[in-house]
Amino acid sequence: MKAIIAEKPSVAREIAQLLNANERKDGYLEGNAYCVTWALGHLVSLGMPEDHGIRGFDKASLPIFPDPFLVVPRTIKKQNQKGYQPDPSALKQLKIIQNVIKRCDSIIVATDAGREGELIFRYIYHYLQCNKPFERLWISSLTEKAIQDGFKKLQSGSAFDGLYDAAKARSEADWLVGINATQALSIAANQDVYSLGRVQTPTLALICKRFEDHQNFKQRKYFQIQLKHRKEYLDFTSQSTEQWEDKKQTEQILRSIEREGRATVEDVTVNTVKEQSPLLYDLTELQKEANRKLGLSADEVLQTAQSLYEKRFITYPRTGSKYIPEDLWAEIPELVRILNTTDQFKPAISTLKFGNFNKRMVNDLKVTDHHGLLFTTKIPSAITATEKAIYDMIAYRLMESLSEHCSKQVSHITIKVHHYDFSIKGSKILTKGWRAIKGVLSDHNNNVEEMLIDLPELKIGDELKISQTDLKEKTTQPPKLYSEADLLSAMENAGRSIKDKEQQKAISNIGIGTPATRASIIETLLSRNYIIRKSKALVPTEKGLKVYGLVKNQKIANVQMTAEWEMALDKIEKGELNSKQFITDIKDYTREITKELLSLSILQENIPQLKCPKCQQHNLIIKDKIVKCPDEQCNWIQFRNVCGVQLSLQQIISLINNRKTPLIKNMKAKNGKKFSAYLVLKDDHKTIFEFPDQ
């Protein structure tokens, strides 16, 4: 009898069906000499400090270095109490897995084929103190063919020791940095809890730095002159290369140009530009594109793609590669043929050159754990609108990848009036190539009108009549706040921001986190109330900015160091670095940051001394979620989140000192409607809403 452990019930069912193990039991399926069971995500994880006998936040016990780390069943928060308790569903499933393993001679690991999937299984294996032999099922899709092929090529479990070592090192490093940094800063901040992390804090630093640069940007007005021309029945414009700050001076120049009435062509550059067809999506690229085009968050894209994968419509989504191996190339024509059965894709497919597909996506050396995202031979049915949108993106991207390059003729022309230079830019498509698939002939971030302007033939010395002049008033623009797509790019390319050229070369393609974890990092920052979504931008909260202010010059916020760690984890996975050495380095680093954070003198001058409105005896404690009197007899309390709006420090001061806040806007009622109101402190020390006069 063989035990098979999948990551989720849905995947276990697919495998069991294929193996004719269809007898349903409590928590597993059985038949044909197989027992197929499942984890429920991370059933087992690293224990908290209290599991290692350390309770509360104590300066004397920092830094905490468990040796060995304990693994414990998943915990959940106790209802109406402090602390955590084991999750009953996790305990039940662990018992089922233990019983299944006892009855079997060996194990087949069928958790997701990646770092986290490997960790999920190994932690369960070690927690149950199992020593039975195991093999690994490594597949990139859940189609019948992929699973069958995977079972024919089962690999020894030890072949994935490097992957487990990297996953375990990542897990322990996150624990060491996160737990110690969180406790150290919280102690320095007088027991106000601030969560820090190896990856979340550098990501927060990126968002806050961009926000501060945006806020501190000094806008500047400037002027440019635009000229209109017409030749060979074509209208086009030119723009002054110079920018003037003085409006009167610009108006004088404009008048002298109007008097002149004509311009002379000084320089003509015409280039043919080849735009290579895009490669397949990896997860990060899919998340960026779906955020820009569909407004979906990184986490929504991951959940949607995971759902499509589990329904067998697409290949494994948590991939960091945009390529496929040579042996998969033979299956690509069949995928195109399947798309051709759907009317929606027929116009796009008609532009492809069958028998002459572009093979740019094929590269064995650039395929990581999994190949680039593809759809499968299973035609989608019963899927949501969001799932369809993501499926369509993956389908169109394959067709674009198979198309030839797009060829453009790009013209840059310089003309002169008096001694002032003006620039004319034009572009025309020579062959549409991959851009014919969706008919989008210009990128989203380029101005289409500017990009696709057909110009008359111009040569040096030609004279152009000026038919109209315009004075354009413009302002310099601050750095754009991060959208989720921009943040994913910044996380992906964190190595590129490094000043040292040699170091930059070494880690240019290493980012913060991995494609599989970046969405959860953003969600963590949102759940900690460090950032919020404001329209399409990610903006730090008062709390997020406060944490950034405390740690921005500390090692914990260093983006470069996080990128270097990702490179180290990659080396552990490949067997090029010993994980023990990595953890030793992380411990040294943890000592440094703990010392740094404990020594921070967090002055409380920005937190005002406010007397409790009820007992008038004690100064209020102002925390992120509550404002309260420290006296348990008095017990006055005010929650800071009121109908979805976080009360600012200024609003709290006004409420206590003036017994009324300024008008609070955009609060949300239970029926979902937004409203504005004042918060008023009554004589009985309770707060009520006061609505402005209609």
Side-chain angles (χ1 to χ4, degrees), residues 227-230 235-236 261 464-469:
L227 309 177
K228 285 191 179 170
H229 316 276
R230 183 174 172 81
D235 293 307
F236 53 99
L464 284 177
K465 199 169 172 234
I466 298 165
S467 57
Q468 195 181 322
T469 60

Side-chain angles (χ1 to χ4, degrees), residues 23-29 37-38 92-93 96-97 100:
E23 198 183 328
R24 287 175 177 269
K25 306 276 187 179
D26 185 16
Y28 68 101
L29 296 130
T37 185
W38 52 85
K92 182 187 174 194
Q93 194 59 24
I96 289 164
I97 293 170
V100 164

Side-chain angles (χ1 to χ4, degrees), residues 455-474:
L455 296 173
E457 228 173 272
L458 294 169
K459 53 188 190 297
I460 294 170
D462 281 357
E463 285 209 332
L464 284 177
K465 199 169 172 234
I466 298 165
S467 57
Q468 195 181 322
T469 60
D470 280 312
L471 182 69
K472 297 283 180 190
E473 184 179 309
K474 299 182 179 181

Side-chain angles (χ1 to χ4, degrees), residues 304-314 387 390-391:
T304 305
Q306 184 69 21
S307 170
L308 286 168
Y309 168 67
E310 287 170 21
K311 290 174 182 174
R312 297 182 292 156
F313 299 137
I314 67 167
E387 285 173 341
I390 295 294
Y391 180 89

Side-chain angles (χ1 to χ4, degrees), residues 55 125 240 312 373 640:
R55 299 201 171 274
Y125 187 79
S240 63
R312 297 182 292 156
L373 265 164
R640 282 188 73 171

Side-chain angles (χ1 to χ4, degrees), residues 231-232 236 263-270 411-416 424 455-464:
K231 190 178 181 188
E232 295 168 14
F236 53 99
T264 309
V265 177
E266 284 275 304
D267 186 51
V268 177
T269 310
V270 180
S411 308
H412 285 273
I413 293 149
T414 305
I415 62 172
K416 232 184 179 72
I424 302 168
L455 296 173
E457 228 173 272
L458 294 169
K459 53 188 190 297
I460 294 170
D462 281 357
E463 285 209 332
L464 284 177

